[in-house]
């Protein structure tokens, strides 16, 4: 499998490069990054994705939201599968992804970790059982100081899993400073922490009368996200156009 690595000079790009070197039947044929000049990564690197000359099978993207529109245009034009890992996208970009998936296979996930995607299933199950018993649900996530979007894409994935479990939409509360009122039944609190080099911590708290249940995932290294992305790329090789997520990979 030959990869085009989009966002090749970023932290996650470097993790994908390192893992691909030790993954059988996988190589990076070329890369794209806004800062490509004078960089030797062992494969051709371009600033403009439309200047790519090399052949490849799948695009793996760990970039920024500003680059996603052009990435989608390129993937659709070249009819290439796309593993889309960038988070914090706009509503318009999400619509564009849905439209692009009509002509190419796209796997999109707020978190590429296999463990987080199993956690999503556990959250759905716990929410279905505990919410109807009166438990309140809160999500706390922590990431490194450079992360721009909040809540994280993973926190939003987990919040969606909660709603699927309880069978109704909940009112997301990001800040209680100005509320000055008791917590309401249909709320779900979402707290974002940023600092240092934290790769990612997500905790879902189910708080009941006199008891608390917690589900938590801690990423000790970004290697787990690179591994998930390459696993997803192999998954897409023979897939028809459509929109996929990591749940499909784990089946």
């Amino acid at each position: 499998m030959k990869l085009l690595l989009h966002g090749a000079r970023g932290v996650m790009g470097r993790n994908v490069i390192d893992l691909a070197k030790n993954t059988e039947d996988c190589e990076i044929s070329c890369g794209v990054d806004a800062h490509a000049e004078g960089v030797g990564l062992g494969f051709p690197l371009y600033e403009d994705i439309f200047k790519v000359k090399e052949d490849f099978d799948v695009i793996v993207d760990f970039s920024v939201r500003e680059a996603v529109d052009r990435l989608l245009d390129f993937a659709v034009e070249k009819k290439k599968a796309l593993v889309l890992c960038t988070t914090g996208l706009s509503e318009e970009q999400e619509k564009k992804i849905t439209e692009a998936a009509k002509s190419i296979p796209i796997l999109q996930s707020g978190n590429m970790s296999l463990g987080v995607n199993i956690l999503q299933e556990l959250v759905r199950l716990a929410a279905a059982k505990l919410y109807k018993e009166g438990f309140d649900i809160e999500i706390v996530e922590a990431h490194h100081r450079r992360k721009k979007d909040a809540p994280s894409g993973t926190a939003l994935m987990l919040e969606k899993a909660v709603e699927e479990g309880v069978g109704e939409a909940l009112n997301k509360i990001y800040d209680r400073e100005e509320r000055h009122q008791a917590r309401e039944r249909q709320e779900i609190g979402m707290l974002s922490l940023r600092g240092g080099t934290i790769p990612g911590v997500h905790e879902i708290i189910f708080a009941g009368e006199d008891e608390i249940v917690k589900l938590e995932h801690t990423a000790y290294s970004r290697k787990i996200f690179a591994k998930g992305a390459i696993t997803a790329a192999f998954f897409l090789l023979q897939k028809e156009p459509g929109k996929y997520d990591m749940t499909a990979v784990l089946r």
Side-chain angles (χ1 to χ4, degrees):
M1 176 177 65
K2 295 181 179 180
L3 301 178
L4 185 162
L5 181 56
H6 189 248
R9 289 195 63 192
V11 174
M12 278 310 309
R14 294 195 294 273
N15 275 274
V16 173
I17 292 169
D18 290 342
L19 186 62
K21 292 176 181 177
N22 298 303
T23 300
E24 188 177 359
D25 297 325
C26 177
E27 67 175 276
I28 299 174
S29 64
C30 56
V32 175
D33 197 279
H35 307 286
E37 187 175 351
V39 179
L41 295 178
F43 51 81
L45 188 63
Y46 301 87
E47 289 186 5
D48 183 354
I49 194 168
F50 280 91
K51 293 184 179 179
V52 169
K53 302 183 182 75
E54 287 71 24
D55 185 31
F56 62 92
D57 302 303
V58 183
I59 304 169
V60 170
D61 163 71
F62 281 103
S63 62
V64 293
R65 61 184 293 178
E66 292 80 6
V68 168
D69 290 291
R70 194 164 174 79
L71 167 65
L72 290 169
D73 292 340
F74 175 81
V76 169
E77 179 179 304
K78 301 297 183 181
K79 300 294 182 184
K80 296 293 186 178
L82 169 62
V83 179
L84 183 59
C85 307
T86 298
T87 59
L89 304 181
S90 68
E91 185 176 336
E92 287 302 313
Q93 287 176 314
E94 294 291 352
K95 290 179 181 177
K96 189 169 184 176
I97 292 166
T98 300
E99 185 63 29
K102 294 177 182 178
S103 56
I104 61 172
I106 298 178
L107 190 147
Q108 181 185 18
S109 178
N111 190 302
M112 301 307 297
S113 157
L114 302 181
V116 162
N117 284 274
I118 292 296
L119 175 64
Q120 191 176 11
E121 296 293 321
L122 297 176
V123 167
R124 191 177 291 112
L125 176 63
K129 300 290 186 180
L130 296 176
Y131 184 75
K132 66 182 180 181
E133 297 298 329
F135 281 67
D136 298 319
I137 306 173
E138 302 274 311
I139 296 175
V140 180
E141 56 99 350
H143 284 85
H144 52 86
R145 64 167 66 96
R146 296 182 305 278
K147 187 169 180 61
K148 297 177 181 179
D149 56 310
S152 68
T154 304
L156 294 174
M157 280 173 53
L158 296 171
E159 191 276 332
K160 181 180 178 183
V162 168
E163 291 188 333
E164 290 171 349
V166 304
E168 62 181 272
L170 300 178
N171 183 22
K172 293 184 282 293
I173 304 298
Y174 304 107
D175 183 5
R176 299 189 183 277
E177 182 180 3
E178 300 297 331
R179 292 181 64 78
H180 302 293
Q181 64 186 61
R183 189 190 196 281
E184 296 178 354
R185 168 66 174 153
Q186 290 182 302
E187 291 181 1
I188 179 168
M190 301 185 72
L191 176 64
S192 298
L193 309 177
R194 297 289 178 267
T197 59
I198 304 169
V201 178
H202 293 86
E203 182 180 34
I204 304 88
I205 302 167
F206 300 88
E209 293 293 329
D210 302 320
E211 61 179 328
I212 296 173
V213 177
K214 294 182 180 180
L215 295 172
E216 181 179 326
H217 180 273
T218 300
Y220 292 101
S221 165
R222 293 179 180 85
K223 294 176 184 178
I224 62 175
F225 310 128
K227 179 180 179 181
I230 290 179
T231 300
F234 275 112
F235 169 82
L236 285 186
L237 276 176
Q238 305 300 326
K239 293 300 178 184
E240 296 295 321
K243 194 172 179 181
Y244 303 89
D245 58 26
M246 288 300 288
T247 303
V249 178
L250 296 172
R251 286 176 184 156

